[in-house]
Coordinates of all heavy atoms in Angstrom, one line a residue:
I13 N 87.4 83.2 68.4 CA 86.3 83.0 69.3 C 86.5 83.7 70.6 O 85.7 84.4 71.1 CB 86.0 81.5 69.6 CG1 85.5 80.8 68.3 CG2 85.1 81.3 70.7 CD1 85.4 79.3 68.4
S14 N 87.7 83.5 71.1 CA 88.1 84.1 72.4 C 88.1 85.6 72.4 O 87.5 86.3 73.2 CB 89.5 83.6 72.9 OG 89.7 84.0 74.2
A15 N 88.7 86.2 71.3 CA 88.8 87.7 71.2 C 87.4 88.2 70.9 O 87.0 89.3 71.5 CB 89.7 88.0 70.0
L16 N 86.6 87.5 70.2 CA 85.2 88.0 69.9 C 84.4 88.1 71.2 O 83.6 89.0 71.4 CB 84.5 87.0 68.9 CG 83.0 87.3 68.7 CD1 82.8 88.7 68.1 CD2 82.4 86.3 67.7
F17 N 84.6 87.1 72.1 CA 83.9 87.1 73.4 C 84.2 88.3 74.2 O 83.4 89.0 74.7 CB 84.3 85.8 74.2 CG 83.8 85.8 75.6 CD1 82.5 85.5 75.8 CD2 84.6 86.1 76.6 CE1 82.0 85.5 77.2 CE2 84.2 86.1 77.9 CZ 82.8 85.8 78.2
V18 N 85.5 88.6 74.2 CA 86.0 89.8 75.0 C 85.4 91.1 74.4 O 84.9 92.0 75.1 CB 87.5 89.9 75.0 CG1 88.0 91.2 75.7 CG2 88.1 88.7 75.8
F19 N 85.5 91.3 73.1 CA 85.0 92.5 72.4 C 83.5 92.6 72.6 O 83.0 93.7 72.7 CB 85.4 92.5 71.0 CG 86.9 92.9 70.7 CD1 87.8 92.0 70.2 CD2 87.3 94.2 71.0 CE1 89.1 92.4 70.0 CE2 88.6 94.6 70.8 CZ 89.5 93.6 70.3
T20 N 82.8 91.5 72.5 CA 81.4 91.5 72.7 C 81.0 92.0 74.1 O 80.1 92.8 74.3 CB 80.7 90.1 72.5 OG1 81.0 89.7 71.1 CG2 79.2 90.2 72.6
M21 N 81.7 91.4 75.1 CA 81.5 91.8 76.5 C 81.8 93.3 76.8 O 81.2 94.0 77.6 CB 82.3 91.0 77.5 CG 81.9 89.5 77.5 SD 80.2 89.2 78.1 CE 79.3 89.0 76.6
E22 N 82.7 93.9 76.0 CA 83.1 95.3 76.1 C 82.2 96.2 75.2 O 82.4 97.4 75.2 CB 84.6 95.5 75.7 CG 85.5 94.7 76.7 CD 85.6 95.3 78.0 OE1 85.2 96.5 78.2 OE2 86.0 94.6 79.0
G23 N 81.3 95.6 74.5 CA 80.4 96.4 73.6 C 81.1 97.0 72.4 O 80.7 98.0 71.9
K24 N 82.1 96.2 71.9 CA 82.9 96.7 70.8 C 82.6 96.0 69.4 O 83.5 95.9 68.6 CB 84.4 96.6 71.1 CG 84.8 97.3 72.4 CD 84.6 98.8 72.3 CE 85.2 99.5 73.6 NZ 84.9 100.9 73.6
V25 N 81.4 95.5 69.3 CA 81.0 94.8 68.1 C 79.8 95.4 67.5 O 78.8 95.5 68.2 CB 80.8 93.3 68.4 CG1 80.4 92.5 67.1 CG2 82.0 92.6 69.0
V26 N 79.8 95.7 66.2 CA 78.6 96.1 65.4 C 78.1 94.9 64.7 O 78.6 94.5 63.7 CB 78.9 97.3 64.5 CG1 77.7 97.7 63.7 CG2 79.6 98.4 65.2
F27 N 77.1 94.3 65.2 CA 76.7 92.9 64.8 C 76.1 92.9 63.3 O 76.4 92.0 62.6 CB 75.6 92.3 65.7 CG 76.2 91.8 67.0 CD1 76.3 92.6 68.1 CD2 76.8 90.5 67.1 CE1 76.9 92.2 69.3 CE2 77.4 90.1 68.2 CZ 77.4 90.9 69.4
M28 N 75.3 93.9 63.0 CA 74.8 93.9 61.6 C 75.9 94.0 60.6 O 75.9 93.2 59.6 CB 73.8 95.1 61.4 CG 73.2 95.1 60.1 SD 72.2 93.7 59.6 CE 70.8 93.8 60.8
T29 N 76.8 94.9 60.8 CA 78.0 95.0 59.9 C 78.8 93.7 59.8 O 79.2 93.2 58.8 CB 78.9 96.2 60.3 OG1 78.1 97.4 60.4 CG2 80.0 96.4 59.3
G30 N 79.1 93.2 61.0 CA 79.9 92.0 61.1 C 79.2 90.8 60.4 O 79.9 89.9 59.8
L31 N 77.9 90.7 60.6 CA 77.2 89.5 60.0 C 77.2 89.7 58.4 O 77.3 88.7 57.7 CB 75.8 89.5 60.5 CG 75.7 89.0 62.0 CD1 74.3 89.1 62.5 CD2 76.2 87.5 62.1
I32 N 77.0 90.9 57.9 CA 77.0 91.1 56.5 C 78.3 90.7 55.9 O 78.4 89.9 54.9 CB 76.6 92.5 56.1 CG1 75.2 92.8 56.5 CG2 76.9 92.8 54.6 CD1 74.8 94.3 56.3
M33 N 79.4 91.2 56.5 CA 80.7 90.8 56.0 C 81.0 89.3 56.2 O 81.6 88.6 55.4 CB 81.8 91.6 56.7 CG 83.2 91.3 56.3 SD 84.5 92.5 57.0 CE 84.5 93.7 55.7
G34 N 80.5 88.8 57.4 CA 80.7 87.4 57.7 C 80.1 86.4 56.7 O 80.6 85.4 56.4
I35 N 78.9 86.8 56.2 CA 78.2 85.9 55.3 C 79.0 85.8 54.0 O 79.2 84.7 53.4 CB 76.8 86.4 55.0 CG1 75.9 86.2 56.2 CG2 76.2 85.7 53.8 CD1 74.6 86.9 56.1
A36 N 79.5 87.0 53.5 CA 80.4 87.0 52.3 C 81.7 86.2 52.6 O 82.2 85.4 51.8 CB 80.7 88.4 51.9
M37 N 82.2 86.3 53.8 CA 83.4 85.6 54.2 C 83.2 84.1 54.2 O 84.0 83.3 53.9 CB 83.9 86.0 55.6 CG 84.7 87.3 55.6 SD 85.4 87.7 57.2 CE 86.7 88.9 56.8
L38 N 82.0 83.7 54.6 CA 81.6 82.2 54.6 C 81.8 81.6 53.2 O 82.4 80.6 53.1 CB 80.2 82.1 55.1 CG 79.6 80.7 55.3 CD1 78.5 80.7 56.4 CD2 79.1 80.1 54.1
L39 N 81.4 82.4 52.2 CA 81.5 81.9 50.9 C 83.0 81.9 50.4 O 83.5 80.9 49.8 CB 80.7 82.7 49.9 CG 79.2 82.8 50.2 CD1 78.5 83.8 49.3 CD2 78.5 81.4 50.0
G40 N 83.7 83.0 50.7 CA 85.1 83.1 50.3 C 85.9 82.0 51.0 O 86.8 81.4 50.4
A41 N 85.7 81.8 52.3 CA 86.5 80.8 53.1 C 86.3 79.4 52.6 O 87.2 78.6 52.5 CB 86.1 80.9 54.6
N42 N 85.0 79.1 52.2 CA 84.7 77.7 51.7 C 85.5 77.5 50.4 O 86.1 76.4 50.2 CB 83.2 77.6 51.5 CG 82.8 76.2 51.1 OD1 83.3 75.2 51.7 ND2 82.0 76.1 50.1
L43 N 85.4 78.5 49.5 CA 86.1 78.3 48.2 C 87.6 78.3 48.3 O 88.2 77.5 47.7 CB 85.7 79.5 47.3 CG 86.2 79.5 45.9 CD1 85.7 78.2 45.1 CD2 85.8 80.7 45.1
G44 N 88.1 79.2 49.2 CA 89.6 79.2 49.4 C 90.1 77.9 50.0 O 91.2 77.4 49.5
A45 N 89.4 77.4 51.0 CA 89.9 76.1 51.6 C 89.8 75.0 50.6 O 90.7 74.1 50.5 CB 89.0 75.8 52.8
K46 N 88.8 74.9 49.8 CA 88.6 73.8 48.8 C 89.7 73.9 47.8 O 90.3 72.9 47.4 CB 87.2 73.9 48.2 CG 86.1 73.4 49.1 CD 84.8 73.5 48.3 CE 83.7 72.9 49.2 NZ 82.3 73.0 48.5
M47 N 90.0 75.1 47.4 CA 91.1 75.3 46.4 C 92.4 74.9 46.9 O 93.3 74.2 46.2 CB 91.2 76.7 45.9 CG 92.2 77.0 44.8 SD 92.1 78.6 44.0 CE 90.6 78.4 43.1
A48 N 92.7 75.2 48.2 CA 94.0 74.8 48.8 C 94.1 73.3 48.9 O 95.2 72.7 48.6 CB 94.1 75.4 50.2

């Protein structure tokens, strides 16, 4: 969260790309945590 805030303020985030990857990560993270 903290690093994302800094990179966003510096204009170093491509939001469309990050959100596409993030949605897939949401599914992967949920499954991985449940398996653990």
Side-chain angles (χ1 to χ4, degrees):
I13 290 172
S14 191
L16 175 61
F17 172 78
V18 174
F19 281 115
T20 301
M21 293 298 100
E22 297 290 340
K24 303 298 183 183
V25 180
V26 181
F27 284 94
M28 181 59 69
T29 304
L31 288 172
I32 291 171
M33 181 173 269
I35 290 170
M37 281 187 160
L38 187 153
L39 300 174
N42 186 47
L43 182 61
K46 285 182 177 178
M47 182 170 289

